[in-house]
């Protein structure tokens, strides 16, 4: 079997996150979920979520599904890097993504969501695509959709083809040659503690020389920006007129009129260039002439993160074979 579904930016002005339609239950209930390779819980706004915490999101109602089953005594609670959080109970039900079906997927139903989830009307929940070791369900952790679907897939892979300010695609079970150019470079993945962790072969700022210093980080579709070591980030913004590291805005900002260099990162022998337009992420507030950078320092995070700003510049194969690998191709 295979599956293919669109990854749609939730905001047409800048790519803060992407959502993908899924169906849950019988008859099918359609929700838009944020596919997140940086976590491993599949959770949804639901009929168990207090109505005061719902603002326009679609919800999953297990009682309306003839195939839903309560996973008795199981609970979950998750807090993300940006401080947002949710918790609740667990059902199993039929679940599909782009035509690919899993019969008894653990669906974590929110009984509580933090305010940042309530105010993000376009996100009806998350679909974790990290390793199942990161799943937070107690007393028994649950498998991700990808882990449940793997045995039905021609090849145990999914691919991310995220795009700039337009819809991209998540494919499951096959690699679409039409989506990339050249050869795919595969690199090892360390699945501990549960992220898609790999090592980049180095970077270059604009037309500067390529530094061959390895950078270990995670490929994370659920993080908007790129977070790298301070030395790299300061080297980048040294090339941007008027750039400053703003405590007020929590990162590097610069005049929106500034000329930005592109940023190149290596995977094996292949080089990926993030265009300057992706590196100017967004005005700090609507209409401001001060812009927030798409590259920020990872010093406060503890891990380097190749988020959407970088992933948009590549076609990425998440290979769930044993051992797992990541494939990167230009497009
Ligand atoms: C609990 C663990 C098992 C897993 C957990 N994983 C993570 O925190 C990484 C994971 O990819 C999470 C997944 C996101 C959580 C929040 C909702 C959207 C998905 N990423 C994160 O927690 C990182 C947060 C994102 O980068 C936000 C996302 C966002 C989306 C829409 C609106 C506002 C903000 N963007 C964001 O802040 O963009 C700015 C900086 C331009 C404003 C962890 O490592 O702690």
């Amino acid at each position: 079997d295979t599956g293919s579904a669109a990854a749609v930016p939730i905001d047409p002005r800048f790519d803060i996150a992407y959502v993908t339609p899924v169906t849950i239950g019988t008859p099918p209930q359609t929700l838009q979920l944020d596919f997140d390779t940086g976590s491993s819980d599949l959770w949804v706004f639901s009929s168990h979520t207090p109505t005061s915490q719902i603002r326009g999101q679609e919800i999953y109602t297990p009682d309306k599904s003839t195939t839903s089953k309560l996973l008795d005594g199981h609970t979950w609670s998750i807090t993300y890097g940006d401080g947002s959080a949710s918790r609740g109970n667990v059902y199993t039900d039929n679940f599909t993504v782009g035509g690919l079906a899993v019969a008894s997927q653990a669906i974590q139903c929110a009984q509580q969501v933090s305010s940042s989830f309530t105010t993000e009307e376009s996100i009806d929940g998350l679909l974790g695509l990290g390793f199942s070791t990161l799943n937070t369900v107690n007393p028994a952790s649950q498998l991700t959709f990808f882990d449940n679907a793997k045995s039905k897939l021609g090849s145990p892979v999914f691919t991310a083809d995220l795009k700039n300010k337009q819809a991209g695609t998540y494919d499951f079970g096959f690699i679409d040659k039409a989506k990339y150019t050249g050869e795919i470079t595969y690199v090892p993945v360390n699945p501990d503690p549960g992220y898609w962790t790999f090592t980049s072969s180095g970077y270059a700022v604009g037309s500067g020389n390529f530094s061959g210093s390895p950078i270990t980080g995670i490929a994370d579709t659920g993080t908007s920006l790129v977070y790298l070591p301070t030395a790299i980030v300061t080297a980048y913004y040294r090339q941007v007129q008027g750039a400053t590291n703003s405590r007020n805005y929590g990162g590097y900002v610069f005049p929106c009129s500034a000329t930005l260099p592109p940023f190149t990162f290596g995977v094996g022998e292949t080089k990926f260039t993030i265009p300057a337009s992706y590196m100017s992420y967004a005005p700090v507030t609507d209409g401001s002439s001060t812009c927030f950078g798409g590259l920020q320092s990872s010093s406060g995070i503890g891990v380097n993160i190749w988020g959407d700003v970088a992933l948009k510049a590549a076609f990425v194969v998440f290979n769930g074979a044993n051992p797992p690998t990541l494939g990167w191709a230009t497009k």
Side-chain angles (χ1 to χ4, degrees):
D1 297 9
T2 63
S4 185
V8 182
I10 63 170
D11 185 318
R13 296 165 301 168
F14 33 82
D15 301 330
I16 193 161
Y18 300 82
V19 287
T20 298
V22 304
T23 74
I24 315 174
T26 313
Q29 300 176 40
T30 299
L31 276 69
Q32 310 294 328
L33 303 186
D34 185 346
F35 282 28
D36 176 24
T37 58
S39 68
S40 305
D41 282 38
L42 195 173
W43 73 264
V44 293
F45 276 76
S46 75
S47 47
H48 296 269
T49 312
T51 50
S52 62
Q53 296 177 15
I54 302 174
R55 193 161 311 147
Q57 291 84 1
E58 294 297 319
I59 65 167
Y60 165 58
T61 304
D63 293 353
K64 279 193 192 160
S65 169
T66 56
T67 42
S68 69
K69 287 192 192 67
L70 175 69
L71 205 53
D72 198 14
H74 288 66
T75 60
W76 58 281
S77 174
I78 194 164
T79 301
Y80 296 101
D82 72 349
S84 54
S86 52
R87 62 178 169 81
N89 57 16
V90 189
Y91 286 76
T92 59
D93 208 339
N94 295 351
F95 190 88
T96 76
V97 175
L100 175 62
V102 162
S104 177
Q105 173 66 44
I107 315 285
Q108 299 168 220
C109 292
Q111 294 176 298
Q112 172 80 34
V113 300
S114 63
S115 57
S116 55
F117 281 119
T118 297
T119 53
E120 192 44 71
E121 303 182 14
S122 325
I123 295 178
D124 304 331
L126 265 68
L127 186 144
L129 290 169
F131 292 87
S132 293
T133 42
L134 285 178
N135 180 264
T136 73
V137 175
N138 272 309
S141 89
Q142 300 300 304
L143 294 180
T144 64
F145 167 75
F146 178 52
D147 271 352
N148 281 325
K150 232 182 243 183
S151 57
K152 305 175 74 169
L153 298 178
S155 166
V157 302
F158 66 90
T159 66
D161 178 21
L162 298 181
K163 295 190 174 184
N164 190 52
K165 300 190 172 75
Q166 54 185 301
T169 317
Y170 286 109
D171 291 335
F172 290 84
F174 70 104
I175 294 173
D176 181 351
K177 283 192 170 312
K179 292 194 167 93
Y180 65 92
T181 58
E183 298 300 314
I184 300 175
T185 300
Y186 286 92
V187 289
V189 159
N190 175 3
D192 280 337
Y195 304 105
W196 290 88
T197 304
F198 75 102
T199 298
S200 158
S201 47
Y203 75 96
V205 174
S207 54
N209 61 342
F210 186 81
S211 101
S213 54
I215 309 163
T216 296
I218 69 172
D220 183 2
T221 56
T223 288
S224 317
L225 308 183
V226 176
Y227 296 87
L228 294 178
T230 303
I232 296 178
V233 177
T234 47
Y236 179 81
Y237 288 107
R238 232 195 321 277
Q239 305 300 325
V240 180
Q241 285 289 331
T244 59
N245 189 0
S246 158
R247 203 175 317 288
N248 177 30
Y249 292 117
Y252 281 87
V253 299
F254 43 81
C256 296
S257 57
T259 304
L260 291 173
F263 183 82
T264 297
F265 63 98
V267 178
E269 299 302 308
T270 311
K271 303 267 189 306
F272 295 86
T273 296
I274 305 174
S277 59
Y278 297 10
M279 298 301 286
S280 173
Y281 180 71
V284 290
T285 50
D286 258 356
S288 166
S289 65
T290 301
C291 276
F292 197 74
L295 171 62
Q296 297 295 340
S297 170
S298 61
S299 57
I301 303 177
V303 65
N304 297 313
I305 304 178
W306 302 93
D308 299 334
V309 161
L311 298 173
K312 293 190 298 193
F315 175 77
V316 188
V317 180
F318 293 78
N319 171 25
N322 196 0
T325 60
L326 268 178
W328 293 77
T330 53
K331 61 188 184 190

